[in-house]
Amino acid sequence: MNELQKRLETYKRLGLKLTPQRLAILEYLENTREHPSAEDIYNALKDRFPSMSFATVYNTLEVLIEKGLVKELSIDSSKKRFDPFLHSHHHFICKQCGKIFDVERNFDILIPEELKEFEVSDFQVVFSGLCPTCKKK
Amino acid sequence: MNELQKRLETYKRLGLKLTPQRLAILEYLENTREHPSAEDIYNALKDRFPSMSFATVYNTLEVLIEKGLVKELSIDSSKKRFDPFLHSHHHFICKQCGKIFDVERNFDILIPEELKEFEVSDFQVVFSGLCPTCKKK
DNA sequence: TGACAAAATAGAAAGTGTTTTTATATTTAA
DNA sequence: TTAAATATAAAAACACTTTCTATTTTGTCA
């Protein structure tokens, strides 16, 4: 089964309608590690879909998030970033260029005592500083 | 030395001009643990300063951040939140009501091997889930 | 204290990123 | 094949943030 068929399967399984735009967005997300913003996605696809609108990008992202295929990141305070990697991982954001990198190591963090009245479902570690490229400058 | 005098000192030391608006913003920030947004600050102060504009709130925050008196949080993807607590601490965000809580426990996190080419200056742990109030519902 | 220069303010306008709306087109299921 | 459901493009609405400029305020120094 090739990649396209897998995507089709995934969509069907979730009861989503198959549209070329949606497939293209999913394909783009699956093939990048750039944690793109909605605009990045739009720009990447507008050559293939010159008539595509932002609404489609946002609508599709909303559906994908709802279905659990994509996560929304709140790491960049100027805009939302999207992440199709579902396995547990963390991030590094460069204070200079804004790029986000995956940090795949796991951290053994105990839920602190002060959160015992809370229902903690997840935690995220976000490192910040300079990426290798910006560090050299 | 009372609180007001301390604030005056802090401002003077940093070479900032003392304006009633700035003092009020600093005072408000020092007395809340709500991690307010710019709008929260504006709303909290508009009774005392009916003519105040958002520009002043944002300008002042910018200066305070620059001088290191306040930190900008990127935890809430819909808007910026501001935090005047400078000691090292982490956060919990409620997925339901959006409230942000401080987590004061320290975590011994080693900089992972995969970031050895990076310059890591900080890390933040963000827990998420339901706060005690939303958990009950 | 009064005057001056530098800096901050208010208010409005413009800029981003995101969401909603509406009419039309496409997809899916029967 | 057709009806119903859903997705689409395009524009408008929206929320948050930044920028601009004339006016006011602040700190400094005579």
Side-chain angles (χ1 to χ4, degrees):
Chain A
M1 195 190 269
N2 66 26
E3 288 301 316
L4 176 60
Q5 286 174 320
K6 272 190 201 162
R7 264 194 295 286
L8 291 170
E9 279 301 309
T10 306
Y11 258 116
K12 275 195 180 165
R13 181 163 30 89
L14 293 169
L16 297 173
K17 289 203 175 174
L18 290 159
T19 67
Q21 293 87 336
R22 286 183 163 186
L23 288 173
I25 291 170
L26 197 60
E27 180 193 14
Y28 174 74
L29 283 168
E30 281 176 359
N31 289 299
T32 181
R33 287 230 145 189
E34 295 286 316
H35 309 81
S37 66
E39 193 177 12
D40 294 334
I41 297 168
Y42 174 79
N43 287 334
L45 300 179
K46 73 177 174 200
D47 286 344
R48 272 166 70 199
F49 299 91
S51 71
M52 184 153 66
S53 77
F54 271 103
T56 299
V57 176
Y58 280 107
N59 287 342
T60 302
L61 285 169
E62 190 186 335
V63 172
L64 294 175
I65 288 166
E66 197 180 293
K67 297 291 182 180
L69 263 58
V70 168
K71 282 195 174 178
E72 182 184 308
L73 301 180
S74 303
I75 295 172
D76 181 341
S77 63
S78 68
K79 60 191 149 196
K80 293 178 181 171
R81 305 282 212 105
F82 300 92
D83 191 345
F85 288 97
L86 302 172
H87 63 271
S88 162
H89 67 287
H90 302 279
H91 295 97
F92 174 95
I93 181 165
C94 178
K95 285 179 177 172
Q96 193 103 96
C97 67
K99 267 193 193 155
I100 293 174
F101 299 82
D102 288 326
V103 174
E104 310 232 17
R105 224 199 76 171
N106 277 330
F107 301 99
D108 293 324
I109 287 188
L110 295 171
I111 306 305
E113 185 66 10
E114 61 195 295
L115 293 178
K116 68 172 186 289
E117 305 286 335
F118 294 62
E119 187 176 310
V120 181
S121 53
D122 191 27
F123 71 88
Q124 255 280 312
V125 184
V126 181
F127 295 89
S128 58
L130 298 178
C131 72
T133 309
C134 292
K135 188 183 166 186
K136 279 173 196 151
K137 286 167 191 168
Chain B
M1 194 190 272
N2 66 26
E3 288 301 317
L4 177 59
Q5 286 174 320
K6 273 189 200 163
R7 264 194 296 286
L8 292 171
E9 280 300 311
T10 306
Y11 258 118
K12 276 194 178 166
R13 183 162 29 90
L14 294 168
L16 297 172
K17 285 201 175 177
L18 288 159
T19 67
Q21 293 90 334
R22 285 183 163 183
L23 288 173
I25 291 171
L26 197 60
E27 180 192 17
Y28 174 74
L29 283 168
E30 281 176 358
N31 289 300
T32 180
R33 286 230 145 189
E34 296 285 316
H35 310 80
S37 66
E39 191 175 13
D40 294 334
I41 297 169
Y42 174 80
N43 286 335
L45 299 180
K46 72 179 176 199
D47 286 345
R48 271 166 70 198
F49 299 91
S51 71
M52 184 152 66
S53 78
F54 271 101
T56 300
V57 176
Y58 282 106
N59 285 341
T60 301
L61 286 169
E62 189 187 334
V63 171
L64 294 176
I65 289 165
E66 197 181 296
K67 296 291 183 181
L69 262 59
V70 169
K71 282 194 175 178
E72 183 184 308
L73 301 180
S74 303
I75 294 172
D76 181 341
S77 62
S78 67
K79 59 192 150 192
K80 292 179 181 172
R81 305 281 212 105
F82 301 92
D83 190 346
F85 289 95
L86 302 173
H87 62 271
S88 163
H89 69 287
H90 302 278
H91 296 97
F92 174 95
I93 181 164
C94 178
K95 284 179 178 173
Q96 193 103 97
C97 67
K99 268 192 191 156
I100 293 173
F101 300 81
D102 288 325
V103 174
E104 310 232 16
R105 223 199 76 172
N106 277 331
F107 300 100
D108 294 323
I109 287 188
L110 295 171
I111 306 306
E113 185 68 9
E114 61 196 292
L115 292 179
K116 67 173 186 289
E117 305 285 335
F118 294 62
E119 187 176 311
V120 180
S121 54
D122 192 27
F123 72 88
Q124 255 280 312
V125 184
V126 181
F127 295 89
S128 58
L130 298 177
C131 72
T133 309
C134 292
K135 187 183 166 186
K136 277 171 197 152
K137 286 170 192 166

